Amino acid sequence: MAAGMGSRFGSLKQITPLGPHQKALLHYTVYDAVHAGFDKIVFVIRESFAQEFKDFVGKYSESLVETAYCYQSMDKLPGDMPPINREKPWGTAHAIWSAKDVIHEPFAALNADDFYGSDAFVKAHDFLADKASDKEFGLVGYRLAATLSENGTVSRGICESDTNGHLTSVTECTKIGISTDGTIKDDDSGKILAPDDLVSMNFWAFTPKVFREIERQFIEFYPENKDNLKSEFYIPKVVDKMIKEQIASVKVLKTDAKWFGVTYKEDTPGVNAALTAFDKEGKYLDL
């Protein structure tokens, strides 16, 4: 999913050159995905920067595997709901739904501005190849403390799971930050969170069934939110409702992979340092 506006970052972070190779984080995503066994990449982007995106990231993907492009458009909404004049995209669930015409097989869905680590792609690929079904989806889970930014608040899906490793709920917290005393808190709800809380970084393993469910839920979501120009239709909320209605279960695919991202400009030096360290370890040298 690469159609975001980068409002907190201040520019198109999806195609911001980073690290010693001056590549976008998406280059690393494609590299890890292909090496894990994925043989098709679908980019959900905005048409306004399509050519720039294809020139910088798309050509690299096209050189490795089948590559497709979909546009997250304000004029095309699930359930043929009438478009609203707004600048902010409708969110991650709408982004995923935008790819429905080119995805007909089990697939992973993830953000363009995150580095997930190679193990996460292996876990997702193996689950999709062997266990994913219309009744069971997957989610790559990370420790909350390992996903925070020192430069501002972040949005995370806080996960609860049962003894069998299946999600019981996903709660989207949109302003998680670290207080001066080290406490982790969601500023919106006031909820205190624990460092070891399991979080979703929007790395999902789905079947095409999720497209129909997004459409059903958007038809319900739209009337109450069409006049709120800042409202977003988040995929964790869609999944959470599916779990509560027992439409599907979600297996947590735990990973110890290193995660980092570029939510803010101030995150850039840390990301550059992490990518440079990979060179010293002999990783991604052929990127």
Side-chain angles (χ1 to χ4, degrees), residues 3 10 51-52 60 77 81 96 103 119 127 154 161 170 184 189 193 196 198 211 220 223 238 246 266 268 287:
Q51 194 57 54
E52 188 177 2
Y60 172 69
L77 301 180
M81 294 293 100
I96 291 172
I103 297 178
D119 179 66
F127 174 82
V154 296
S161 59
V170 184
I184 303 174
S189 65
L193 302 167
D196 288 333
L198 192 69
F211 299 132
E220 299 172 356
V238 171
Q246 299 183 343
E266 292 80 5
T268 303
L287 184 67

Side-chain angles (χ1 to χ4, degrees), residues 27 43 52-63 65 67 69:
H27 285 92
F43 294 112
E52 188 177 2
F53 182 92
K54 291 177 182 179
D55 288 343
F56 187 49
V57 177
K59 287 181 179 178
Y60 172 69
S61 179
E62 290 170 14
S63 72
V65 290
T67 302
Y69 304 90

Side-chain angles (χ1 to χ4, degrees), residues 54-233:
K54 291 177 182 179
D55 288 343
F56 187 49
V57 177
K59 287 181 179 178
Y60 172 69
S61 179
E62 290 170 14
S63 72
L64 299 176
V65 290
E66 178 186 353
T67 302
Y69 304 90
C70 300
Y71 300 127
Q72 185 176 7
S73 171
M74 301 292 192
D75 297 330
K76 189 176 181 182
L77 301 180
D80 291 325
M81 294 293 100
I84 302 297
N85 185 20
R86 54 181 274 163
E87 293 185 8
K88 191 175 183 66
W90 278 101
T92 51
H94 178 225
I96 291 172
W97 177 86
S98 300
K100 66 182 179 62
D101 292 335
V102 299
I103 297 178
H104 309 290
E105 56 277 297
F107 67 99
L110 54 152
N111 296 337
D113 53 355
D114 292 327
F115 177 92
Y116 289 100
S118 58
D119 179 66
F121 288 90
V122 172
K123 295 282 177 58
H125 175 271
D126 291 351
F127 174 82
L128 287 165
D130 299 331
K131 298 179 181 179
S133 71
D134 285 351
K135 291 294 185 180
E136 183 169 48
F137 298 155
L139 169 68
V140 178
Y142 292 78
R143 287 182 66 247
L144 173 59
T147 71
L148 301 177
S149 171
E150 297 178 354
N151 302 303
T153 60
V154 296
S155 177
R156 300 286 182 261
I158 306 298
C159 303
E160 300 288 342
S161 59
D162 61 22
T163 55
N164 294 318
H166 286 92
L167 282 183
T168 55
S169 67
V170 184
T171 303
E172 188 75 11
C173 295
T174 56
K175 287 190 177 181
I176 301 175
I178 306 174
S179 303
T180 53
D181 63 357
T183 301
I184 303 174
K185 180 181 178 182
D186 176 36
D187 290 342
D188 263 352
S189 65
K191 184 178 181 180
I192 303 298
L193 302 167
D196 288 333
D197 281 349
L198 192 69
V199 298
S200 159
M201 299 307 300
N202 259 0
F203 194 152
W204 300 91
F206 290 129
T207 70
K209 177 182 178 179
V210 77
F211 299 132
R212 301 191 299 273
E213 185 61 26
I214 289 172
E215 184 155 332
R216 181 182 75 86
Q217 290 194 32
F218 188 80
I219 292 171
E220 299 172 356
F221 170 90
Y222 180 87
E224 298 178 0
N225 293 276
K226 62 185 178 63
D227 296 325
N228 180 358
L229 300 183
K230 294 185 178 181
S231 62
E232 291 190 58
F233 188 47

Side-chain angles (χ1 to χ4, degrees), residues 19-40:
H21 301 283
Q22 287 295 281
K23 301 290 188 180
L25 287 183
L26 267 175
H27 285 92
Y28 292 84
T29 291
V30 171
Y31 182 99
D32 281 337
V34 171
H35 280 75
F38 287 93
D39 57 7
K40 179 179 177 180

Side-chain angles (χ1 to χ4, degrees), residues 273-285:
L275 296 178
T276 299
F278 287 139
D279 270 22
K280 296 179 181 178
E281 298 169 6
K283 298 178 180 178
Y284 303 107
L285 296 180

